[in-house]
Amino acid sequence: MLVALINSAYRGDSSKAGWTTEADLLGGQRVDVEGLTEMMVRPGNVMLVHERNHVPVACVHLEQTGEDCYLGLLTIQPTLQRAGL
């Protein structure tokens, strides 16, 4: 479900409903199951997920990098972007 959410926010026609689209710049998938799984199981990585009715509608990836933290894959379902989530 997270792969579908992330891809819907960044690629394809569905992403054009929001501000995170890369559809006019890049084709294909943003993430796949294997890549997302590898990222999430690495030490120092966490994926925060927000759900509505047990369905993921937003997520963000955080990776500890020494004393700092990398924030990536900031994702909100395109139809919910600009709605104050």
Side-chain angles (χ1 to χ4, degrees):
M1 291 182 124
L2 279 181
V3 169
L5 171 65
I6 294 165
N7 285 324
S8 76
Y10 288 97
R11 305 286 168 82
D13 288 336
S14 64
S15 69
K16 294 179 181 180
W19 59 268
T20 56
T21 186
E22 299 171 342
D24 294 330
L25 303 172
L26 302 165
Q29 292 184 315
R30 179 70 161 80
V31 297
D32 59 25
V33 173
E34 294 80 17
L36 192 60
T37 301
E38 286 176 20
M39 179 186 68
M40 291 170 59
V41 300
R42 283 194 314 253
N45 283 264
V46 66
M47 180 71 76
L48 304 177
V49 179
H50 178 73
E51 297 178 341
R52 286 195 177 164
N53 299 318
H54 306 287
V55 176
V57 295
C59 65
V60 63
H61 167 237
L62 300 172
E63 179 178 4
Q64 187 175 11
T65 56
E67 292 183 19
D68 297 321
C69 187
Y70 167 81
L71 182 146
L73 291 178
L74 179 60
T75 304
I76 301 173
Q77 181 180 329
T79 57
L80 295 177
Q81 292 178 11
R82 298 186 187 100
L85 181 63

